[in-house]
Amino acid sequence: MRKGEALALTWDDLEGSAVSVTKTLTLGKNNKKIIQSTKSEAGDRKVELDDETISILKEWKHQQAQELLEQ
């Protein structure tokens, strides 16, 4: 996975034991961050994740939800 693709991921992209790669983060004029689709349809794909990574992500998502509630 390219860096821009990883930076564009959201929790909605996590599906079971995989992430859907459908967008990328890039820099536009004046270094403005832009989320856009991948360069080609072939760039859209699912990346399978191992059980340990899924567990870490679920814990991270839980921590984010807790922090949101505390604000």
Side-chain angles (χ1 to χ4, degrees), residues 9-44:
L9 291 174
T10 64
W11 290 118
D12 291 336
D13 296 321
L14 183 61
E15 300 173 3
S17 64
V19 289
S20 293
V21 179
T22 59
K23 55 195 176 294
T24 186
L25 176 75
T26 189
L27 294 177
K29 288 185 178 181
N30 299 320
N31 287 328
K32 181 178 178 183
K33 294 175 185 157
I34 301 169
I35 300 280
Q36 59 188 29
S37 59
T38 56
K39 290 181 181 178
S40 66
E41 284 186 31
D44 290 357

Side-chain angles (χ1 to χ4, degrees), residues 23-64:
K23 55 195 176 294
T24 186
L25 176 75
T26 189
L27 294 177
K29 288 185 178 181
N30 299 320
N31 287 328
K32 181 178 178 183
K33 294 175 185 157
I34 301 169
I35 300 280
Q36 59 188 29
S37 59
T38 56
K39 290 181 181 178
S40 66
E41 284 186 31
D44 290 357
R45 61 200 182 281
K46 288 188 187 252
V47 177
E48 290 292 323
L49 303 173
D50 61 89
D51 292 339
E52 183 178 359
T53 302
I54 293 293
S55 177
I56 291 168
L57 288 173
K58 285 181 179 180
E59 178 60 30
W60 184 20
K61 184 177 181 180
H62 178 73
Q63 287 176 1
Q64 283 185 333

